[in-house]
Every structure is written in C-alpha cells, then in structure tokens.
Amino acid sequence: MRLLDVADLFSRFEILAGINFVTMGFLKISVLLCVLAVGLAQVLGLQSYRPLVFPLAALIVLLSLMYTESTVDMAAFTQSVYPLWVLPFEFLLPLITLITAAARNLSTRSQEER
C-alpha cells in the first residue's frame, strides 16, 4: 500500500482553480465585449458590429491599465467606491432599459390593434 500525499494533492487543485479563474475571466470579458459592440452598433445604427470590436477592446485594455496602480489601491476601491459606482450600471440602466422596452412594446401593440 502507498500513502496518499495530501499536501501534494491540494497543490494540484490550486493550479486547477487558477486555470478556472483565467478561463472564466477571459470568457466573461469576451461576452461583455461582444454585447458592448453589438449594443453600440445598434444605438449608432450601424449594419455590422465588427468594426467596433477592436477599438472597444483597445479602449478596455487602456482603461484597465490606468484603473489602479497597485493591488492595495484596487482593494481600497472595491471596499469604498465600488458599491456606489456599480449601482447605476447594475440596477438603474437595466431598469431603464426594461421600462423603455416595455413602453415600446406597448406602443407597438396599440398601433397593431388599430
């Protein structure tokens, strides 16, 4: 019988967790970039969203480099400013979008009934 080395086994799980964080972070940023490009193309009335993808990605990279100077600054930001800063983007804008879509849907239905 062989003994199971628990510490070595757990160190392997750390690698899997790291790979998972990087993969899911990349997937999240990719989906959000695609949604941003499609939404902006619709707002601007463009036929294709593809010309917007690279400039938006470059803008995201530049803003991420200017965002904070250190991990300590990032931690301070997430504890103090982030809860107030994210409120409009996570709650108010989706609520306004939902109300606008419902109002447009109601006006479209009333015009179809006539």
Side-chain angles (χ1 to χ4, degrees):
M1 289 177 83
R2 291 187 182 177
L3 294 175
L4 179 64
D5 189 9
V6 176
D8 190 40
L9 181 66
F10 284 133
S11 68
R12 303 286 188 238
F13 285 132
E14 290 173 359
I15 293 171
L16 293 176
I19 291 172
N20 186 27
F21 282 132
V22 170
T23 304
M24 292 300 114
F26 178 77
L27 184 64
K28 178 181 176 181
I29 291 170
S30 299
V31 168
L32 292 176
L33 176 62
C34 183
V35 167
L36 177 64
V38 170
L40 190 59
Q42 288 178 357
V43 168
L44 297 176
L46 301 175
Q47 292 182 359
S48 176
Y49 70 93
R50 290 182 180 184
L52 297 175
V53 173
F54 183 74
L56 288 173
L59 183 65
I60 289 171
V61 168
L62 289 175
L63 289 175
S64 71
L65 293 174
M66 296 182 339
Y67 193 56
T68 58
E69 293 183 14
S70 68
T71 308
V72 175
D73 291 341
M74 182 66 180
F77 176 80
T78 56
Q79 290 177 356
S80 60
V81 179
Y82 185 75
L84 300 174
W85 184 63
V86 78
L87 186 67
F89 298 107
E90 288 191 3
F91 297 109
L92 297 179
L93 285 178
L95 183 63
I96 292 169
T97 305
L98 180 64
I99 292 170
T100 305
R104 285 184 179 178
N105 192 14
L106 289 176
S107 67
T108 305
R109 285 185 184 174
S110 66
Q111 289 177 359
E112 290 177 357
E113 290 176 0
R114 292 181 191 177

